[in-house]
Amino acid sequence: MKVKITPFNAAGSIFAPPSKSFAHRYVIAAFLSGKDCVIENVGLSDDVSATLAAVTSLGAIAKRRGGDIVVSGKRSVLNATVDCAESGSTLRFLLPVAAALGVNAEFTGSDRLMSRPIDDLARAINGHGATVSGHTVSGKLESGTYYLNASLSSQFVSGMLFALSVVDGESEIILAGEKVSKGYIDITVSVLREFGVNIRETENGFKIVGGYNPPERVTVEGDWSGAAFPLAVGALTGQVTVKNLKYPTLQSDGAIVDLLKKFGAKVYVSNGEVTAAAGELSGVSDIDCENCPDIAQVICSVAAFAKGKTSLKGIERLKIKESDRIAAIINTLKTCGVKAEYDNKTLTVYGGAPKGCAFDGGNDHRTVMSAAVIASAANGGSTVDGAEHCAKSYPEFFEDIKRLGGKIDVNF
């Protein structure tokens, strides 16, 4: 699906989409608790829908009710085929969960997802009563001591925390290497504690005792990674307010507030609302995306209009996301006449005057939305191909941009 975007002056307010990070975790925790729980404001993103379908395959009794999910226990399942679609969180969280539940499971998904690395997660599981071979799980996980390289993916750590939350007895996770995306691990720990799981952080990892005491109802907070895109539009073209955003937040992508300020945008936070307004933008040096990789692309969209150079580090893992996002950033900016280069450590964007053009979304939701941000303020009209991929995380993205005054024409 292709959209045509004419530059505009953004004005108005919208509600942030539900946080994928919290929604994934609430659905899994509610399933593992085996008790009744209502999860409010889950939304309709493809990734969270993948997690709901996956836990249902593993035995959850759950259904959608509008934008909410109602979990009413779980059933025993011995064998399952678990389709994770394109969701890395679904695969990496639930593969160890299947092992903990003793479900012989085969995990499937898109070609890109199946090519993303899980070897370190498999090594941590193997030898503890369960076996992971490729994307197939057999046996039943036991309590014990588990070793993980925390520098590869926070999702591996979160997956093991979920798994050990339903294994009898106390277990320990010992982490090697510097934690990447630590904020996402913090969200997992927060959700597990909210569901009554006994979990304690140690000097080099976690100790966790299996068992749940869940709440009857939880509410998913607004998503900072999604909100970053309309806030960037406000910083470039006018003034945008995004509601239902908790600040401070455990979501590392809340860093967009300080980053937009550093660029020179006018940003105000008050009572769960964040407003970003246009200002004179200048490049920012040494932006560390280690803990907020999901906003690297939208940062570069803003940097394209900022005077001078902007440099980003801690972005190596962008190569193994839904696409090679480092290449996507460089190609997107090149298409609109902005130079960017990567030296295997630092990505540098040379701000300029982006021109309207035909953007290729590269089958990646964040690439599509980042291109749309540029198109909103570029010199001349643009088209963005692949708009349907926004459904992965932010199905209402283009409708929200329209609510802010966006001149968008959708063609099939």
Side-chain angles (χ1 to χ4, degrees), residues 89-109:
S89 295
T90 305
L91 172 63
R92 291 166 167 177
F93 292 173
L94 290 178
L95 188 145
V97 163
L101 296 174
V103 179
N104 297 317
E106 179 182 358
F107 284 78
T108 65

Side-chain angles (χ1 to χ4, degrees), residues 10 35 42 76 112 133 139 150 182 229 235 256 321 331 368 379 401:
K35 303 290 179 63
V42 172
S76 178
R112 178 70 184 183
S133 177
K182 181 181 179 297
F229 294 92
I256 193 66
K321 295 289 188 176
N331 290 336
V368 171
N379 181 14
I401 297 301

Side-chain angles (χ1 to χ4, degrees), residues 44-265:
L44 299 170
S45 71
D46 287 350
D47 276 6
V48 175
S49 295
T51 290
L52 178 61
V55 297
T56 302
S57 298
L58 292 171
I61 302 171
K63 62 181 179 180
R64 281 196 178 275
R65 188 177 65 190
D68 303 339
I69 289 176
V70 180
V71 180
S72 53
K74 62 182 177 181
R75 52 192 168 79
S76 178
V77 172
L78 297 178
N79 301 283
T81 298
V82 184
D83 184 359
C84 301
E86 296 183 346
S87 174
S89 295
T90 305
L91 172 63
R92 291 166 167 177
F93 292 173
L94 290 178
L95 188 145
V97 163
L101 296 174
V103 179
N104 297 317
E106 179 182 358
F107 284 78
T108 65
S110 69
D111 290 344
R112 178 70 184 183
L113 177 63
M114 293 293 100
S115 71
R116 293 173 69 177
I118 59 167
D119 291 348
D120 198 68
L121 183 58
R123 281 192 290 269
I125 293 171
N126 290 340
H128 289 85
T131 301
V132 178
S133 177
H135 293 92
T136 300
V137 181
S138 59
K140 185 174 174 60
L141 207 63
E142 302 166 346
S143 59
T145 301
Y146 292 79
Y147 295 87
L148 270 175
N149 184 347
S151 67
L152 296 176
S153 173
S154 67
Q155 292 175 343
F156 295 165
V157 181
S158 290
M160 288 306 305
L161 287 171
F162 279 121
L164 297 174
S165 72
V166 288
V167 173
D168 291 338
E170 182 177 83
S171 296
E172 183 174 10
I173 299 174
I174 296 177
L175 302 175
E178 185 176 349
K179 296 176 188 174
V180 294
S181 299
K182 181 181 179 297
Y184 291 102
I185 300 173
D186 292 341
I187 293 173
T188 302
V189 171
S190 173
V191 167
L192 285 171
R193 285 174 173 163
E194 192 173 354
F195 275 73
V197 176
N198 183 348
I199 179 171
R200 177 167 59 89
E201 190 163 4
T202 65
E203 183 177 350
N204 57 355
F206 299 93
K207 288 188 176 181
I208 183 169
V209 179
Y212 277 77
N213 181 24
E216 294 181 357
R217 183 179 299 269
V218 293
T219 302
V220 177
E221 66 179 66
D223 184 46
W224 276 97
S225 60
F229 294 92
L231 288 173
V233 170
L236 293 176
T237 72
Q239 181 167 307
V240 168
T241 297
V242 181
K243 301 179 180 181
N244 192 33
L245 286 172
K246 186 176 181 180
Y247 191 82
T249 175
L250 288 176
Q251 297 179 58
S252 298
D253 294 330
I256 193 66
V257 168
D258 288 335
L259 287 172
L260 290 178
K261 288 179 180 179
K262 288 181 179 179
F263 275 111

